[in-house]
Amino acid sequence: MDSTSSISALTEDIIVEQILRTHDPDGRWIDSKTLLQEVEAILSFVLQSDVSKPLLTENCMTDIEVFESKETLPYAISRISVQMLCPCMGENEIHTRTMVLFDLLKEYRWDAKAVLVLGALAATYGGLLLPIHLGSNDPVAASIATLNQLPMERTTFRPWLNPLSLLIKVLVDVTKCITEFERLPFKQAKVDSNLVGETMSKIRLATYWVVKSALACLQQIPYFKQPQQATESRRAAGELSSLGYQLRNMHTRLSKQVEECSTQIEETIYQRLRNINRETHQDNQEVLQLLFSLQDDLLLQQYSRQIAITDLKEKVILLLLSKPELSPTEPFHFLLQQLYHHPSNTNTEILWTPIPASQKWTEEEKQTVNFSSNSLPCISVKRPWLMSSTVLNFLRTEWPYRDGETMVAVMDTNGKVVNMNAMDMVLIWGGKAYPFTASREDELWEEDHTLSLQLMLDGIHPEFNTWVKEGREICLLGSDDSNWVDEINSLARKLQNLGFEFELIDLSKRTVDSMEESSIQELFWLRLESIKRSKLKRIESSNHDRVIEEVTELLEFDSGEHKGWAVVGNGSTAETEKIVGEKLTERMRRIVRWGEHAAGMGFAEAIRIAEEEEPCEESHTVVVPFEEGLRVVTCEKCKRPMKKFVAYQ
């Protein structure tokens, strides 16, 4: 290394040491990436040669988030602008002013320091050049430009403006490198310490040059207002060009090192994610940090309340992965209701993690997530668009998540993923399925041998549990034939007038007027689909399974062959009877014809008895005590209710 480069390296070390003395971050956080995008849009617009081109950006300044800061973003930029607009004469004075700016920015991270300074640069040049842009069509803007001693003819300062534009472009590029490096998850990935240390030193130096160069750009304003000083203007343009060339070389070297760090970290993180269940963890904190704190220490939230990852310690976590738009909404609210309205939920938390359709989030997706996060009772990732692309790729490729679908992965208190998708378990049994493991699913199916009313309706119909306590009988029916449904409703009213006590629930796959009925129908069929999927995972094709047969029959019911279907039973028992449409109609008509002779008989019992096509051919008499005659007496042969006569002896 020659003496010149040695002196240069020594100078750089001194500069880094000086700015490190001013660096004292206090935890405040600015969405520097979004702010930089807005700054770049403003500067690109006001510095362009063709002023007729529209500004291709939306006003997102109000959406830029700032946390743990004692000053607002506009105030911080205004405070920096005041210092930057102070005149500086000579290299030494610019360096001194640069160090003053670093002292002002001591509480901020390196990326925030650079972006805030560029924000002050954009605010200043935007205010100067925007009237010139608008002046040709707006007399007020033209007057403002004149009052500010601004030349309306851009040709007068174009030789100076071109190198300024190129310098500012490279400043933005260098700041992007700084921002990208600062967002890398070094806590979760062990990479080459020499590479990280060397890159970190260059990041600090790059931040210094961004601040110093931005300060130098603002020192050019007098030449801009007085372009007639041709000699001085050319000299200023030469200085800007030289500075731009120097920073371009810095950017080339820096971007390569940042990319190398990023690649190493991505590979390490991806491998660690694949080894989640192979490693032993004391709790779930390390794994949750790996998934959700990869960039800018992502915060969680519940409604508008911020949640720390440490608050989830010793909890069973249900990771709800879905697209940003919770559509249709009913299944999601039902899923949350199934879990939060169960006594065993005290040790369980749902963590909603929305995943975009592509690698880049749209503004519409962001707005949808913000709205849903503030309305759902579960915990959610506050800014999911800041999640690492490595994590998103892992979830898409290594986990059974598919774009547009919904899944619920279960993480136990030790950070082990014990069930890759417990969605069906939750939709079928709710909190009863705790701790949502595959073995627990097997246990629950050992308890549920048949497709009972409890299995189909519990948690879906708001009155079901009340009916179960009262011992009330229930008849479910479904059909595409509205005339058949109307006929069944008419027959049901006649039977209820005869004294039969039962509830009729229409679960047809057709549009209904009542929103509550529509919700019950949607959730009923969703539950049946979950039952089938859950069962299919646990049986061999050669094995006979009653639940599979019954649920498949309902899901694949052919309304063209039969008018409809019905399931009759009592919510407190497992036994039910399935009846196709025509037979249900015939049986209910028979019971109506029996009239008062069937009074006191249960609906399910009457439906079973009415199955016999013909009564006994021979009339016969049965004598029973008066007390027994108060109830329904059935024929021993055909099981139909017998007519009552009172005999006195």
Side-chain angles (χ1 to χ4, degrees):
M1 181 165 51
D2 58 32
S3 58
T4 304
S5 59
S6 299
I7 294 172
S8 176
L10 181 62
T11 305
E12 289 178 355
D13 290 341
I14 293 173
I15 290 173
V16 171
E17 184 179 344
Q18 287 179 341
I19 61 177
L20 273 176
R21 292 198 196 106
T22 67
H23 187 58
D24 186 23
D26 61 359
R28 64 184 67 187
W29 182 90
I30 290 178
D31 186 357
S32 55
K33 185 176 182 179
T34 303
L35 177 56
L36 182 59
Q37 290 172 350
E38 293 301 303
V39 166
E40 182 179 16
I42 293 169
L43 289 170
S44 298
F45 178 70
V46 298
L47 294 173
Q48 66 183 335
S49 298
D50 185 1
V51 297
S52 63
K53 293 180 180 179
L55 178 59
L56 300 176
T57 183
E58 298 178 4
N59 180 17
C60 300
M61 294 297 289
T62 55
D63 298 330
I64 297 171
E65 295 178 299
V66 180
F67 295 106
E68 306 297 330
S69 178
K70 297 178 181 178
E71 58 185 3
T72 63
L73 183 59
Y75 179 77
I77 291 176
S78 174
R79 191 163 60 95
I80 295 164
S81 299
V82 170
Q83 288 295 330
M84 292 180 71
L85 288 170
C86 293
C88 299
M89 301 299 294
E91 176 69 20
N92 290 334
E93 197 166 335
I94 288 181
H95 171 75
T96 302
R97 181 65 58 183
T98 301
M99 297 310 299
V100 169
L101 289 172
F102 270 101
D103 191 57
L104 279 177
L105 296 164
K106 63 182 178 182
E107 296 92 353
Y108 292 94
R109 297 173 7 158
W110 297 104
D111 57 332
K113 295 180 200 289
V115 174
L116 286 171
V117 166
L118 290 186
L121 184 67
T124 303
Y125 271 117
L128 282 172
L129 296 175
L130 192 58
I132 298 176
H133 277 275
L134 303 177
S136 57
N137 298 317
D138 189 338
V140 176
S143 298
I144 293 174
T146 303
L147 289 173
N148 286 329
Q149 304 176 44
L150 303 174
M152 292 301 297
E153 290 294 329
R154 295 176 66 88
T155 54
T156 57
F157 54 81
R158 184 168 293 162
W160 166 83
L161 189 61
N162 289 338
L164 176 67
S165 300
L166 293 173
L167 174 57
I168 289 178
K169 186 179 184 306
V170 75
L171 283 178
V172 170
D173 290 340
V174 172
T175 305
K176 286 179 181 178
C177 279
I178 298 170
T179 302
E180 182 182 348
F181 184 81
E182 282 289 278
R183 293 159 67 90
L184 292 177
F186 293 105
K187 294 178 183 177
Q188 282 74 38
K190 296 178 180 179
V191 294
D192 186 346
S193 58
N194 291 331
L195 174 63
V196 174
E198 182 182 345
T199 309
M200 186 71 250
S201 179
K202 283 185 167 51
I203 288 293
R204 293 161 182 162
L205 187 63
T207 307
Y208 169 83
W209 278 105
V210 168
V211 175
K212 182 178 179 180
S213 300
L215 185 61
C217 288
L218 288 186
Q219 300 304 308
Q220 310 300 314
I221 291 178
Y223 304 124
F224 169 63
K225 288 187 175 183
Q226 298 175 353
Q228 63 272 19
Q229 298 179 4
T231 304
E232 290 294 323
S233 181
R234 283 194 296 271
R235 185 182 64 79
E239 291 176 356
L240 293 177
S241 297
S242 175
L243 197 53
Y245 178 78
Q246 182 179 348
L247 282 168
R248 178 58 64 191
N249 290 335
M250 176 184 290
H251 172 258
T252 301
R253 296 190 299 270
L254 185 62
S255 61
K256 288 181 180 179
Q257 286 190 266
V258 171
E259 185 178 355
E260 189 175 349
C261 287
S262 178
T263 301
Q264 284 193 19
I265 287 175
E266 285 178 3
E267 292 173 354
T268 304
I269 291 292
Y270 198 90
Q271 193 57 45
R272 286 196 63 194
L273 289 169
R274 295 189 67 182
N275 293 333
I276 283 177
N277 281 6
R278 298 173 189 169
E279 299 176 354
T280 302
H281 311 282
Q282 292 183 346
D283 50 43
N284 59 16
Q285 294 296 286
E286 184 179 1
V287 178
L288 290 175
Q289 290 281 349
L290 192 62
L291 288 169
F292 300 111
S293 288
L294 294 184
Q295 291 189 4
D296 297 317
D297 291 330
L298 289 175
L299 295 173
L300 308 177
Q301 71 176 56
Q302 190 170 33
Y303 297 119
S304 59
R305 182 170 63 95
Q306 292 186 8
I307 302 290
I309 284 181
T310 52
D311 295 334
L312 302 182
K313 193 174 182 180
E314 299 180 357
K315 295 277 188 179
V316 173
I317 308 299
L318 302 185
L319 298 172
L320 175 60
L321 276 58
S322 76
K323 59 184 180 181
E325 182 185 7
L326 297 179
S327 175
T329 58
E330 196 61 44
F332 290 94
H333 288 290
F334 176 63
L335 183 145
L336 300 178
Q337 171 191 313
Q338 284 280 82
L339 290 167
Y340 284 121
H341 293 177
H342 197 279
S344 67
N345 185 51
T346 55
N347 197 42
T348 305
E349 287 292 351
I350 304 173
L351 178 50
W352 178 41
T353 309
I355 297 179
S358 62
Q359 292 291 342
K360 187 174 181 180
W361 282 76
T362 65
E363 286 303 317
E364 183 180 358
E365 286 176 331
K366 290 181 181 181
Q367 291 173 8
T368 300
V369 167
N370 285 333
F371 175 80
S372 299
S373 298
N374 290 321
S375 58
L376 293 174
C378 62
I379 296 173
S380 59
V381 180
K382 185 172 179 61
R383 297 183 303 278
W385 42 89
L386 296 182
M387 284 181 64
S388 166
S389 59
T390 306
V391 174
L392 292 178
N393 290 335
F394 171 78
L395 296 178
R396 286 190 173 105
T397 56
E398 302 291 337
W399 281 18
Y401 176 77
R402 298 296 176 265
D403 285 337
E405 297 182 0
T406 302
M407 65 171 281
V408 178
V410 182
M411 183 185 297
D412 66 13
T413 54
N414 292 323
K416 183 177 181 180
V417 179
V418 294
N419 194 336
M420 274 298 181
N421 196 353
M423 185 77 172
D424 292 328
M425 285 185 75
V426 176
L427 292 176
I428 298 170
W429 295 288
K432 184 181 177 183
Y434 178 86
F436 310 100
T437 59
S439 59
R440 178 55 181 157
E441 193 168 6
D442 291 334
E443 292 173 5
L444 290 168
W445 280 125
E446 288 294 325
E447 299 172 10
D448 291 318
H449 300 289
T450 62
L451 193 63
S452 64
L453 292 175
Q454 180 85 24
L455 189 62
M456 290 188 285
L457 285 183
D458 186 26
I460 291 178
H461 198 291
E463 301 296 326
F464 178 74
N465 288 326
T466 302
W467 295 339
V468 170
K469 292 176 183 177
E470 295 174 353
R472 193 176 291 264
E473 292 175 310
I474 299 170
C475 176
L476 311 181
L477 76 149
S479 174
D480 294 334
D481 187 342
S482 58
N483 292 328
W484 180 79
V485 173
D486 291 340
E487 183 180 8
I488 294 298
N489 279 315
S490 176
L491 290 169
R493 285 192 293 270
K494 291 178 181 179
L495 292 178
Q496 288 165 345
N497 290 335
L498 289 172
F500 286 94
E501 295 185 354
F502 66 96
E503 298 294 334
L504 192 67
I505 305 175
D506 182 6
L507 296 168
S508 305
K509 293 181 180 178
R510 55 189 174 82
T511 305
V512 294
D513 296 332
S514 168
M515 186 175 293
E516 183 181 42
E517 286 183 21
S518 176
S519 172
I520 292 171
Q521 289 174 4
E522 181 182 1
L523 296 177
F524 172 79
W525 293 106
L526 185 69
R527 164 96 40 104
L528 292 190
E529 290 168 356
S530 292
I531 289 172
K532 183 176 181 179
R533 280 194 301 269
S534 177
K535 267 292 185 179
L536 285 174
K537 288 188 297 185
R538 283 169 162 69
I539 64 170
E540 297 179 3
S541 57
S542 58
N543 291 351
H544 168 78
D545 187 275
R546 181 178 172 184
V547 173
I548 278 287
E549 290 179 354
E550 292 175 341
V551 77
T552 302
E553 192 174 355
L554 288 177
L555 288 169
E556 299 177 0
F557 186 82
D558 185 1
S559 296
E561 183 179 351
H562 302 285
K563 289 186 177 181
W565 58 266
V567 176
V568 179
N570 189 305
S572 59
T573 61
E575 294 303 318
T576 58
E577 182 176 2
K578 183 179 178 298
I579 313 164
V580 294
E582 302 89 339
K583 292 184 178 179
L584 177 65
T585 310
E586 292 171 5
R587 295 190 200 182
M588 293 180 76
R589 285 172 181 165
R590 288 189 190 122
I591 300 171
V592 170
R593 287 198 297 269
W594 296 345
E596 62 182 13
H597 302 299
M601 185 180 290
F603 177 69
E605 180 187 5
I607 286 290
R608 280 196 305 273
I609 293 172
E611 183 180 6
E612 295 292 333
E613 294 186 3
E614 297 294 338
C616 292
E617 295 180 358
E618 298 181 3
S619 177
H620 56 277
T621 304
V622 177
V623 179
V624 297
F626 181 77
E627 290 78 8
E628 291 185 28
L630 294 175
R631 61 180 177 81
V632 178
V633 178
T634 58
C635 173
E636 292 183 357
K637 294 182 179 180
C638 68
K639 304 302 181 184
R640 297 204 174 196
M642 301 182 71
K643 293 182 180 180
K644 297 178 185 178
F645 299 93
V646 179
Y648 296 93
Q649 184 174 358

